[in-house]
Each structure stands twice: as structure tokens, then as C-alpha cells.
Amino acid sequence: MTELLAVVAITLLAVISPGPDFAMVSRNGLLLSRRSGVLTALGIAAGVCVHVSYTLLGVGVLIQQSLWLFNLIKLAGAAYLVFLGIRMLRARPAVDEVMADQPALSSLGALRTGFLTNVLNPKTTIFIVSLFMQVVQPQTPLAVQLGYGAFIVLAHALWFSAVAIFFSNASVRARLLAVRHWIDRVFGALLVGFGMLLALTQPSR
């Protein structure tokens, strides 16, 4: 029971903490559509599923212990965030209301954006690998560990879907869409900042 409570508490704290996932979901939900935001959230959950899978297979330990591999993932993730951020920083005012409401991402694009934002984030790697190595006991049955993994994925899907639904609320969007290009630039600056921070942070293992 103590192990279960620890997994639940640590997961919930990690999920709600601000980061690239939150920035991407809230931006897509606010500026594009509820569907885009929720699909971005599901893409993030799919990325978490990848982290959980390789951790349970033991590959997570290899990533954590191999400095060059960890740095490769870190730099790839940083480059992706900076790339997305620069695209948003270049946002221009919409010519008319129709353009403002036109989604710029396909369903697959929204899923892919969420997936890559999460799967290339080494902080998620550290979180999940550390959770299973330091909190989950080696003698814990595999079925229970799979249950923990499913909970972690579900927590991400539900939380970020809720974030997308909130930011895509009609009243929230109506107030903010008029300055959507500035909002895009703010989120772009945040993603560039996250990317630079990620690139410059030294792993502490």
C-alpha cells in the first residue's frame, strides 16, 4: 500500500508540474481547437507509454547509465523544442476571423506534436526510470508494475486532456484569440527557453 501511494503521489506531482507538455497542450487547445488540444494530450500519453515500456524492459537503466545516449536524447529533445518555439515566435496577426479559427494542425499532426514533445524529453525518462528503480521494489509482481505504468499513462492523458478542454473553452478563447499571435509568441519563447534549459542542464546521476 505504501508503494502504491508513493507511485500515485509522485506521478500526480510530476504530471501537474509546468513544462513543455503543458505549454504545448494549452497552446494547441487555446489557439487551434479542443480536438487539437486533446489529440496533443493523447500524443503525450503515447510518449509516456514508450518511456514506461522501455523502463519495464530494462532499457531505461541503459539510457540512464550511458552518458552519450542520454545526451543524444537530451539534445534531440532540446532541438525539437527550439524548432517549435521559433516557428511560434514567427507568428503573425491573422488577416481575418476566418483565418483565426482555422486549425493549422491535422489530427495526425497534433498527435505527433504531443508524442515527440514528450518522448524526446529526457526529464520524463529520469522521472519514470527513477520511480521504478527507487520506489517500486524488485519483488513487486510484473502485473502490478504494468498497472503502475498504465496509471502513469492514464494520469498524463486525463490531466492534459483536462488542460486542453479548459483552454479551448469558448469564453476563454473568445477573450484571447484577438491577440493569438502574441500568445503564440509567448508560448514560442517558453518552448525555446525549455529547449535551451534542457540543452544546458547537466545530468545528475
Side-chain angles (χ1 to χ4, degrees), residues 121-135:
N121 188 351
K123 290 189 175 180
T124 308
T125 301
I126 294 172
F127 155 61
I128 293 177
V129 172
S130 299
L131 183 67
F132 277 89
M133 286 184 64
Q134 298 175 21
V135 177

Side-chain angles (χ1 to χ4, degrees), residues 36-103:
S36 292
V38 172
L39 286 172
T40 303
L42 295 179
I44 287 168
V48 174
C49 193
V50 171
H51 291 295
V52 170
S53 298
Y54 67 63
T55 298
L56 290 175
L57 290 172
V59 180
V61 179
L62 172 64
I63 294 173
Q64 193 182 45
Q65 297 302 321
S66 174
L67 187 61
W68 73 266
L69 183 56
F70 181 86
N71 281 333
L72 181 65
I73 297 172
K74 182 181 75 170
L75 291 175
Y80 181 68
L81 292 178
V82 171
F83 167 73
L84 289 178
I86 290 173
R87 284 182 59 186
M88 293 179 196
L89 283 170
R90 297 172 63 187
R92 298 175 181 273
V95 174
D96 52 39
E97 204 64 35
V98 174
M99 286 184 67
D101 287 334
Q102 199 169 33

Side-chain angles (χ1 to χ4, degrees), residues 136-205:
V136 179
Q137 300 300 312
Q139 62 269 25
T140 299
L142 179 59
V144 175
Q145 295 191 41
L146 287 171
Y148 291 157
F151 169 75
I152 294 169
V153 172
L154 184 62
H156 280 78
L158 291 177
W159 167 252
F160 288 114
S161 292
V163 170
I165 290 169
F166 171 78
F167 279 98
S168 62
N169 180 274
S171 60
V172 174
R173 295 188 79 220
R175 294 175 185 175
L176 297 176
L177 276 180
V179 290
R180 60 173 291 153
H181 61 291
W182 288 112
I183 296 170
D184 231 347
R185 290 171 185 175
V186 168
F187 280 115
L190 284 173
L191 288 179
V192 171
F194 282 133
M196 296 297 291
L197 249 154
L198 190 60
L200 297 174
T201 300
Q202 295 297 317
S204 55
R205 302 195 301 279

